[in-house]
Amino acid sequence: MSYQLTIEPLGQVLDIEDGQTILDAALRAGIYIPHACCHGLCATCKVIVTEGEIDHGEASTFALMDYERDEGQCLACCATLQSDTTIEAEIDEEPDARFLPVQDYRGTVSRIEDLTPTIKGVWIKLDRPMDFQAGQYVNLHIPGESAPRAFSIASAPGQASEIELNIRLVPGGKGTAWVHQQLSSGEEVQLSGPYGRFFVRESAHQKDELGYIFLAGGSGLSSPRSMILDLLERGCKKPIALINGARSSEELYHHEEFTALAIEHSNFSYVAALSSEEADWQGAKGFVHEAAKVHFKNDFRGHKAYLCGPPLMIDACISTLMQGRLFERDIYTEKFISAADAQQVRSPLFKKI
């Protein structure tokens, strides 16, 4: 049985299948409702039901309190319809956002490589090209698991028929353990996408602004790599800087590629920083935020910064950027929120980061 969902203020009407969440239906129609954890824990996807009946699903009482339920609020990521329903949602207006409906794909693993001792590169040939913006991610279905796992696309949109994922082994993580220990070349996989609102805000760059700063750590390099490759392939002339951090040289990947790109493109600069001491290492030393501070001489004015990596790295980078006169409107981050992360209290000072 299906119901109709009306999304205001757009006035768009969607047919929703039994058991399909409000968020999934909206994303598959190309309508972006802000969201983060997708598990009913972080309250980012809160919307107001103005007409109709819904089932709150597994929304936590922390993220959606009893009085909010009484007021007609729900979490779009886990709410399902029990009748024709109308909601009011906070629809983001992003001039650079492309409205790309989420779709399901089948793919074949064409190649798997050990990029580092803990990160594997996985290349997947899709049953048809995926139209996506550099910086977005896909949900990969894991055998035996009800919830898919989110992984950023590391390749550029120009390679739409075969995407690259860089997947770090997470201790105790069933999804990443399956990728590292069981997945093999030639295997068929299922995925959906594209998801996410992490992309280059080109229209936000005024003529007098200096350029792009990308700060990455670990497998957080995936999204920045896609964005940088896309900018360079499309002939971007603004300065582009990548500060990439790793614990050791063996954990540094795509290093030769970025070194070669810096030689080939005069507007691209690349700094690799190691946080551990290595006698033979001639590059930057310290954490990502420290290397960025040195490279830009603690003055980030006139730039847009894109951050992707572990939460502690992102927090340190935000602090450093703000000390160097770059503020919230010019800082964009990508965070995949776990159940534990989602229950942490976020500062009300920051709406976007």
mmCIF file of all heavy atoms in Angstrom, residues 286-315:
data_model
loop_
_atom_site.group_PDB
_atom_site.id
_atom_site.type_symbol
_atom_site.label_atom_id
_atom_site.label_comp_id
_atom_site.label_asym_id
_atom_site.label_seq_id
_atom_site.Cartn_x
_atom_site.Cartn_y
_atom_site.Cartn_z
ATOM 1 N N GLY A 286 54.066 17.151 11.716
ATOM 2 C CA GLY A 286 52.999 17.625 12.595
ATOM 3 C C GLY A 286 51.632 17.245 12.057
ATOM 4 O O GLY A 286 51.515 16.462 11.108
ATOM 5 N N PHE A 287 50.599 17.796 12.674
ATOM 6 C CA PHE A 287 49.237 17.497 12.275
ATOM 7 C C PHE A 287 48.795 18.415 11.134
ATOM 8 O O PHE A 287 49.468 19.400 10.801
ATOM 9 C CB PHE A 287 48.300 17.641 13.470
ATOM 10 C CG PHE A 287 48.572 16.632 14.559
ATOM 11 C CD1 PHE A 287 49.258 17.007 15.714
ATOM 12 C CD2 PHE A 287 48.153 15.318 14.429
ATOM 13 C CE1 PHE A 287 49.514 16.090 16.723
ATOM 14 C CE2 PHE A 287 48.404 14.386 15.422
ATOM 15 C CZ PHE A 287 49.089 14.768 16.569
ATOM 16 N N VAL A 288 47.644 18.083 10.542
ATOM 17 C CA VAL A 288 47.154 18.824 9.373
ATOM 18 C C VAL A 288 47.003 20.308 9.678
ATOM 19 O O VAL A 288 47.448 21.164 8.903
ATOM 20 C CB VAL A 288 45.804 18.241 8.900
ATOM 21 C CG1 VAL A 288 45.217 19.103 7.788
ATOM 22 C CG2 VAL A 288 45.976 16.817 8.410
ATOM 23 N N HIS A 289 46.387 20.630 10.807
ATOM 24 C CA HIS A 289 46.159 22.049 11.121
ATOM 25 C C HIS A 289 47.476 22.797 11.331
ATOM 26 O O HIS A 289 47.585 23.984 10.974
ATOM 27 C CB HIS A 289 45.257 22.198 12.345
ATOM 28 C CG HIS A 289 45.837 21.694 13.617
ATOM 29 N ND1 HIS A 289 45.924 20.351 13.927
ATOM 30 C CD2 HIS A 289 46.374 22.355 14.683
ATOM 31 C CE1 HIS A 289 46.468 20.203 15.116
ATOM 32 N NE2 HIS A 289 46.765 21.403 15.597
ATOM 33 N N GLU A 290 48.476 22.101 11.874
ATOM 34 C CA GLU A 290 49.778 22.739 12.078
ATOM 35 C C GLU A 290 50.470 23.000 10.742
ATOM 36 O O GLU A 290 51.056 24.068 10.527
ATOM 37 C CB GLU A 290 50.651 21.867 12.976
ATOM 38 C CG GLU A 290 50.090 21.699 14.382
ATOM 39 C CD GLU A 290 50.796 20.619 15.178
ATOM 40 O OE1 GLU A 290 51.280 19.634 14.577
ATOM 41 O OE2 GLU A 290 50.857 20.752 16.421
ATOM 42 N N ALA A 291 50.398 22.023 9.838
ATOM 43 C CA ALA A 291 51.004 22.195 8.513
ATOM 44 C C ALA A 291 50.308 23.295 7.724
ATOM 45 O O ALA A 291 50.959 24.067 7.010
ATOM 46 C CB ALA A 291 50.940 20.878 7.745
ATOM 47 N N ALA A 292 48.977 23.387 7.857
ATOM 48 C CA ALA A 292 48.232 24.446 7.168
ATOM 49 C C ALA A 292 48.618 25.820 7.711
ATOM 50 O O ALA A 292 48.784 26.781 6.939
ATOM 51 C CB ALA A 292 46.737 24.210 7.332
ATOM 52 N N LYS A 293 48.781 25.909 9.016
ATOM 53 C CA LYS A 293 49.153 27.180 9.643
ATOM 54 C C LYS A 293 50.512 27.664 9.132
ATOM 55 O O LYS A 293 50.696 28.846 8.823
ATOM 56 C CB LYS A 293 49.181 27.020 11.165
ATOM 57 C CG LYS A 293 49.466 28.298 11.929
ATOM 58 C CD LYS A 293 49.342 28.054 13.424
ATOM 59 C CE LYS A 293 49.580 29.343 14.216
ATOM 60 N NZ LYS A 293 49.419 29.115 15.677
ATOM 61 N N VAL A 294 51.448 26.744 9.009
ATOM 62 C CA VAL A 294 52.782 27.099 8.503
ATOM 63 C C VAL A 294 52.713 27.478 7.027
ATOM 64 O O VAL A 294 53.274 28.497 6.599
ATOM 65 C CB VAL A 294 53.765 25.928 8.706
ATOM 66 C CG1 VAL A 294 55.087 26.200 7.995
ATOM 67 C CG2 VAL A 294 54.000 25.681 10.199
ATOM 68 N N HIS A 295 52.009 26.665 6.234
ATOM 69 C CA HIS A 295 51.952 26.888 4.781
ATOM 70 C C HIS A 295 51.328 28.236 4.444
ATOM 71 O O HIS A 295 51.787 28.923 3.516
ATOM 72 C CB HIS A 295 51.172 25.760 4.119
ATOM 73 C CG HIS A 295 51.132 25.840 2.625
ATOM 74 N ND1 HIS A 295 52.236 25.561 1.838
ATOM 75 C CD2 HIS A 295 50.133 26.187 1.761
ATOM 76 C CE1 HIS A 295 51.920 25.713 0.558
ATOM 77 N NE2 HIS A 295 50.649 26.093 0.485
ATOM 78 N N PHE A 296 50.287 28.620 5.184
ATOM 79 C CA PHE A 296 49.582 29.873 4.890
ATOM 80 C C PHE A 296 50.004 31.006 5.825
ATOM 81 O O PHE A 296 49.388 32.072 5.817
ATOM 82 C CB PHE A 296 48.070 29.657 4.975
ATOM 83 C CG PHE A 296 47.506 28.893 3.803
ATOM 84 C CD1 PHE A 296 47.339 27.524 3.869
ATOM 85 C CD2 PHE A 296 47.161 29.554 2.633
ATOM 86 C CE1 PHE A 296 46.829 26.811 2.790
ATOM 87 C CE2 PHE A 296 46.654 28.856 1.549
ATOM 88 C CZ PHE A 296 46.486 27.485 1.624
ATOM 89 N N LYS A 297 51.019 30.764 6.615
ATOM 90 C CA LYS A 297 51.545 31.773 7.539
ATOM 91 C C LYS A 297 50.446 32.332 8.441
ATOM 92 O O LYS A 297 50.377 33.535 8.713
ATOM 93 C CB LYS A 297 52.235 32.896 6.759
ATOM 94 C CG LYS A 297 53.415 32.397 5.933
ATOM 95 C CD LYS A 297 54.069 33.510 5.126
ATOM 96 C CE LYS A 297 55.223 32.967 4.305
ATOM 97 N NZ LYS A 297 55.866 34.014 3.459
ATOM 98 N N ASN A 298 49.564 31.434 8.857
ATOM 99 C CA ASN A 298 48.467 31.753 9.774
ATOM 100 C C ASN A 298 47.528 32.842 9.246
ATOM 101 O O ASN A 298 46.919 33.581 10.018
ATOM 102 C CB ASN A 298 49.018 32.176 11.151
ATOM 103 C CG ASN A 298 47.961 32.081 12.235
ATOM 104 O OD1 ASN A 298 47.075 31.228 12.175
ATOM 105 N ND2 ASN A 298 48.035 32.961 13.224
ATOM 106 N N ASP A 299 47.392 32.933 7.942
ATOM 107 C CA ASP A 299 46.475 33.913 7.348
ATOM 108 C C ASP A 299 45.661 33.216 6.245
ATOM 109 O O ASP A 299 46.166 32.970 5.151
ATOM 110 C CB ASP A 299 47.265 35.088 6.761
ATOM 111 C CG ASP A 299 46.363 36.200 6.269
ATOM 112 O OD1 ASP A 299 45.121 36.027 6.292
ATOM 113 O OD2 ASP A 299 46.890 37.245 5.837
ATOM 114 N N PHE A 300 44.429 32.907 6.573
ATOM 115 C CA PHE A 300 43.570 32.170 5.631
ATOM 116 C C PHE A 300 42.522 33.058 4.976
ATOM 117 O O PHE A 300 41.624 32.564 4.296
ATOM 118 C CB PHE A 300 42.881 31.016 6.372
ATOM 119 C CG PHE A 300 43.827 30.055 7.029
ATOM 120 C CD1 PHE A 300 44.068 30.124 8.395
ATOM 121 C CD2 PHE A 300 44.493 29.098 6.283
ATOM 122 C CE1 PHE A 300 44.942 29.242 9.009
ATOM 123 C CE2 PHE A 300 45.375 28.211 6.879
ATOM 124 C CZ PHE A 300 45.601 28.279 8.249
ATOM 125 N N ARG A 301 42.630 34.341 5.164
ATOM 126 C CA ARG A 301 41.636 35.256 4.614
ATOM 127 C C ARG A 301 41.536 35.134 3.094
ATOM 128 O O ARG A 301 42.530 34.905 2.419
ATOM 129 C CB ARG A 301 42.000 36.698 4.979
ATOM 130 C CG ARG A 301 41.806 37.036 6.453
ATOM 131 C CD ARG A 301 42.306 38.420 6.774
ATOM 132 N NE ARG A 301 43.758 38.533 6.594
ATOM 133 C CZ ARG A 301 44.451 39.654 6.759
ATOM 134 N NH1 ARG A 301 43.820 40.769 7.109
ATOM 135 N NH2 ARG A 301 45.755 39.654 6.588
ATOM 136 N N GLY A 302 40.292 35.258 2.589
ATOM 137 C CA GLY A 302 40.079 35.241 1.155
ATOM 138 C C GLY A 302 39.980 33.849 0.551
ATOM 139 O O GLY A 302 39.950 33.704 -0.668
ATOM 140 N N HIS A 303 39.920 32.812 1.391
ATOM 141 C CA HIS A 303 39.824 31.445 0.892
ATOM 142 C C HIS A 303 38.490 30.812 1.295
ATOM 143 O O HIS A 303 37.774 31.324 2.148
ATOM 144 C CB HIS A 303 40.959 30.581 1.460
ATOM 145 C CG HIS A 303 42.315 30.941 0.968
ATOM 146 N ND1 HIS A 303 43.079 31.944 1.558
ATOM 147 C CD2 HIS A 303 43.058 30.454 -0.053
ATOM 148 C CE1 HIS A 303 44.242 32.035 0.923
ATOM 149 N NE2 HIS A 303 44.255 31.152 -0.065
ATOM 150 N N LYS A 304 38.185 29.678 0.681
ATOM 151 C CA LYS A 304 37.136 28.779 1.141
ATOM 152 C C LYS A 304 37.833 27.480 1.527
ATOM 153 O O LYS A 304 38.687 26.990 0.782
ATOM 154 C CB LYS A 304 36.111 28.497 0.043
ATOM 155 C CG LYS A 304 35.383 29.735 -0.484
ATOM 156 C CD LYS A 304 34.406 30.296 0.515
ATOM 157 C CE LYS A 304 33.613 31.448 -0.106
ATOM 158 N NZ LYS A 304 32.806 32.172 0.887
ATOM 159 N N ALA A 305 37.482 26.947 2.689
ATOM 160 C CA ALA A 305 38.156 25.740 3.178
ATOM 161 C C ALA A 305 37.184 24.570 3.227
ATOM 162 O O ALA A 305 36.030 24.711 3.663
ATOM 163 C CB ALA A 305 38.744 25.993 4.564
ATOM 164 N N TYR A 306 37.678 23.413 2.783
ATOM 165 C CA TYR A 306 36.893 22.180 2.773
ATOM 166 C C TYR A 306 37.642 21.137 3.599
ATOM 167 O O TYR A 306 38.789 20.797 3.280
ATOM 168 C CB TYR A 306 36.684 21.698 1.334
ATOM 169 C CG TYR A 306 35.913 22.702 0.491
ATOM 170 C CD1 TYR A 306 36.573 23.759 -0.140
ATOM 171 C CD2 TYR A 306 34.535 22.608 0.357
ATOM 172 C CE1 TYR A 306 35.870 24.692 -0.889
ATOM 173 C CE2 TYR A 306 33.831 23.533 -0.397
ATOM 174 C CZ TYR A 306 34.503 24.571 -1.010
ATOM 175 O OH TYR A 306 33.799 25.505 -1.748
ATOM 176 N N LEU A 307 36.997 20.642 4.658
ATOM 177 C CA LEU A 307 37.647 19.768 5.626
ATOM 178 C C LEU A 307 36.989 18.389 5.610
ATOM 179 O O LEU A 307 35.756 18.280 5.636
ATOM 180 C CB LEU A 307 37.513 20.342 7.036
ATOM 181 C CG LEU A 307 38.363 21.548 7.443
ATOM 182 C CD1 LEU A 307 38.205 22.731 6.510
ATOM 183 C CD2 LEU A 307 37.997 21.974 8.869
ATOM 184 N N CYS A 308 37.822 17.356 5.594
ATOM 185 C CA CYS A 308 37.290 15.993 5.635
ATOM 186 C C CYS A 308 38.274 15.085 6.358
ATOM 187 O O CYS A 308 39.437 14.993 5.963
ATOM 188 C CB CYS A 308 37.027 15.482 4.218
ATOM 189 S SG CYS A 308 35.975 14.013 4.165
ATOM 190 N N GLY A 309 37.811 14.427 7.410
ATOM 191 C CA GLY A 309 38.692 13.552 8.168
ATOM 192 C C GLY A 309 38.091 13.225 9.511
ATOM 193 O O GLY A 309 36.906 13.468 9.763
ATOM 194 N N PRO A 310 38.900 12.679 10.432
ATOM 195 C CA PRO A 310 38.412 12.338 11.763
ATOM 196 C C PRO A 310 37.896 13.572 12.494
ATOM 197 O O PRO A 310 38.397 14.687 12.278
ATOM 198 C CB PRO A 310 39.657 11.763 12.453
ATOM 199 C CG PRO A 310 40.571 11.379 11.351
ATOM 200 C CD PRO A 310 40.313 12.341 10.241
ATOM 201 N N PRO A 311 36.897 13.415 13.371
ATOM 202 C CA PRO A 311 36.330 14.562 14.087
ATOM 203 C C PRO A 311 37.356 15.422 14.816
ATOM 204 O O PRO A 311 37.264 16.653 14.791
ATOM 205 C CB PRO A 311 35.351 13.902 15.069
ATOM 206 C CG PRO A 311 34.937 12.645 14.378
ATOM 207 C CD PRO A 311 36.163 12.169 13.649
ATOM 208 N N LEU A 312 38.334 14.800 15.473
ATOM 209 C CA LEU A 312 39.339 15.586 16.198
ATOM 210 C C LEU A 312 40.162 16.444 15.243
ATOM 211 O O LEU A 312 40.504 17.590 15.555
ATOM 212 C CB LEU A 312 40.259 14.667 17.007
ATOM 213 C CG LEU A 312 39.645 14.021 18.250
ATOM 214 C CD1 LEU A 312 40.639 13.061 18.896
ATOM 215 C CD2 LEU A 312 39.211 15.086 19.255
ATOM 216 N N MET A 313 40.485 15.898 14.065
ATOM 217 C CA MET A 313 41.225 16.662 13.067
ATOM 218 C C MET A 313 40.409 17.853 12.589
ATOM 219 O O MET A 313 40.911 18.982 12.477
ATOM 220 C CB MET A 313 41.581 15.767 11.881
ATOM 221 C CG MET A 313 42.439 16.449 10.810
ATOM 222 S SD MET A 313 42.012 15.950 9.113
ATOM 223 C CE MET A 313 40.788 17.201 8.690
ATOM 224 N N ILE A 314 39.131 17.615 12.322
ATOM 225 C CA ILE A 314 38.270 18.689 11.834
ATOM 226 C C ILE A 314 38.144 19.789 12.880
ATOM 227 O O ILE A 314 38.238 20.980 12.561
ATOM 228 C CB ILE A 314 36.887 18.128 11.440
ATOM 229 C CG1 ILE A 314 37.022 17.328 10.141
ATOM 230 C CG2 ILE A 314 35.868 19.259 11.259
ATOM 231 C CD1 ILE A 314 35.738 16.715 9.646
ATOM 232 N N ASP A 315 37.951 19.420 14.141
ATOM 233 C CA ASP A 315 37.829 20.425 15.204
ATOM 234 C C ASP A 315 39.097 21.265 15.318
ATOM 235 O O ASP A 315 39.037 22.498 15.468
ATOM 236 C CB ASP A 315 37.529 19.745 16.536
ATOM 237 C CG ASP A 315 36.133 19.136 16.575
ATOM 238 O OD1 ASP A 315 35.298 19.514 15.725
ATOM 239 O OD2 ASP A 315 35.885 18.271 17.440
#
